[in-house]
């Protein structure tokens, strides 16, 4: 066996690329309409950025980073997520000095050393947004609404929005104490990770995927009972705005981000159709991060979607086949083959998706490939057609066939387009 793709990575093959392109195109359009601008940051950064920007107490930094020394003895890390790089860039390029709000989005490959399984890879892709410079609750609602729009336009169903507030730093300090007090008697029954977190980062325990830990948490105090009046009011306003926008949500008091620079709103969008890896979009407000990374105090909110999981959902719906082609051209004989190439190029130029059979094999074999190609029609050029400048146009669904001058075919593009539409709609 030759060399295979590294564990946790995979090729995205031509037959799957349609779904990827569709998701990207929908996101791009939706974000452009909301005045978000794309930003592309490097795939690797100084390790320190992620240690400070994601937090050393997290799984991502603690166990999952691809970190190595480069030839200049610098510690480099392949980005495990997009926010830290975007915020670094925002600070480095003085985007806050331009005043107002920056609405940014990004997409690209991310890297985490995880146990590969369905919907979980070591190289995976995210698409995310960051709104920097607005502490307004409307920014929280806007980013959620945009995520919802994108997922809806892709055609996904059975999604639920889980929403929570983790309040401000003081609220969390109080809650933290209550949670530690509640969990300490159960310490020995918690999973090992949660035991370590009990003193270091107890909020992260709520995130545990261990069944016994989750059972213990059933009766744990709720963060929502520890919100200050101001935080509570904020949370109520976010909910009211979402309701106005017609976006239903479930309040989930277990949803957390365990780091100090996260504040107030946190949310996840989950699918009922994905099994264990159910979250397709996760985000929240991170008012402390820009300052944490050395910038001016800047409120911010954002989210990231996992594209592999969206593609899995699309495939399950079997919504898209390979992008359909209009014409499949078969030809035989020197003159006909030359004309076929020219006809293919002419059709492509006026907007028709055209595949040219270049095998030179017998017509019979070429026809079989035409049938399999998914094209709406086959164009046939033999010696006779080449001689008088015509082509046989055969509609593959019905088998109807007629001769038409090549020039007429090309000059009646509108009529042809209409015929294609009528026949594909059937
Ligand atoms: P999970 O609990 O599934 O590990 P997470 O909290 O680590 O998710 P985030 O860091 O919030 O995830 O990333 C946002 C989204 O990116 C996730 O909801 C998921 O859709 C996707 N994602 C995260 N890690 C992976 C991975 N290893 N492979 C594929 N997609 C991923
Ligand atoms: Mg994870």
């Amino acid at each position: 066996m030759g060399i295979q793709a590294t564990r946790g990575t995979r090729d995205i093959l031509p037959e799957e690329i349609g779904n990827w392109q569709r998701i990207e195109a929908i996101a791009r359009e939706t974000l452009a309409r909301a005045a978000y601008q794309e930003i592309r940051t490097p795939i690797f950064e100084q390790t320190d950025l992620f240690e400070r920007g994601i937090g050393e107490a997290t799984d991502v930094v603690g166990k999952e980073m691809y970190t190595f020394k480069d030839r200049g003895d610098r510690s480099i890390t392949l980005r495990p997520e997009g926010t830290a790089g975007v915020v670094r860039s925002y600070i480095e390029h003085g985007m806050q000095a331009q005043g107002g709000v920056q609405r940014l989005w990004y997409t690209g490959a991310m890297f985490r050393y995880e146990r590969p399984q369905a919907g979980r890879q070591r190289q995976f892709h995210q698409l995310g947004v960051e709104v920097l410079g607005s502490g307004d609750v409307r920014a929280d609602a806007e980013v959620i609404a945009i995520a919802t729009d994108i997922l809806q336009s892709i055609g996904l169903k059975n999604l639920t929005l889980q929403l929570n507030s983790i309040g401000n730093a003081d609220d969390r300090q109080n809650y933290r104490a209550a949670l530690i007090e509640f969990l300490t008697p159960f310490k020995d029954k918690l999973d090992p990770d949660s035991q370590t977190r009990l003193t270091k980062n107890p909020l992260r325990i709520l995130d545990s995927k261990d069944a016994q830990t989750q059972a213990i948490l059933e009766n744990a105090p709720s963060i929502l009972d520890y919100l200050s009046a101001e935080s509570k009011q904020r949370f109520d306003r976010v909910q009211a705005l979402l309701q106005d926008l017609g976006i239903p949500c479930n309040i989930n008091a277990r949803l957390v981000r365990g780091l100090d620079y996260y504040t107030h709103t946190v949310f996840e969008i989950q699918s009922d159709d994905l099994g264990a890896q159910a979250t397709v979009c996760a985000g929240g407000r991170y008012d402390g991060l820009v300052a944490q990374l050395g910038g001016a105090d800047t409120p911010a909110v954002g989210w990231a979607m996992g594209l592999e999981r969206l593609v899995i959902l699309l495939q399950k719906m079997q919504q898209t086949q390979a992008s359909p082609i209009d014409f499949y051209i078969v030809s035989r004989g020197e003159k006909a083959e030359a004309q076929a190439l020219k006809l293919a190029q002419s059709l492509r130029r006026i907007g028709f998706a055209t595949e040219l059979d270049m095998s030179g094999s017998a017509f019979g074999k070429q026809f079989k490939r035409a049938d399999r190609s998914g094209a709406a029609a086959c164009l046939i050029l033999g010696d006779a057609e080449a001689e008088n400048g015509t082509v046989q146009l055969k509609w593959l669904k019905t088998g109807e066939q007629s001769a038409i001058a090549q020039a007429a075919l090309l000059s009646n593009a509108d009529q042809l387009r209409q015929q294609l539409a009528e026949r594909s709609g059937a």
Side-chain angles (χ1 to χ4, degrees), residues 112 114 119-121 124 126 209 279-282 304 306 309:
R112 297 183 193 177
E114 301 202 69
R120 193 177 292 290
Q121 296 175 194
F124 61 101
Q126 287 183 336
K209 285 167 183 136
T279 303
V280 295
C281 178
R309 295 183 193 179

Side-chain angles (χ1 to χ4, degrees), residues 60 64 80-81 112 114 119-126 204 207 209 257 268-269 277-283 304-309:
V60 172
E64 298 174 355
E81 53 95 62
R112 297 183 193 177
E114 301 202 69
R120 193 177 292 290
Q121 296 175 194
R122 290 180 176 173
Q123 174 176 325
F124 61 101
H125 298 80
Q126 287 183 336
R204 292 294 299 197
D207 233 5
K209 285 167 183 136
R257 291 275 183 277
E268 283 191 9
I269 301 175
Q277 271 64 58
T279 303
V280 295
C281 178
M305 285 182 186
L307 298 186
E308 273 75 6
R309 295 183 193 179

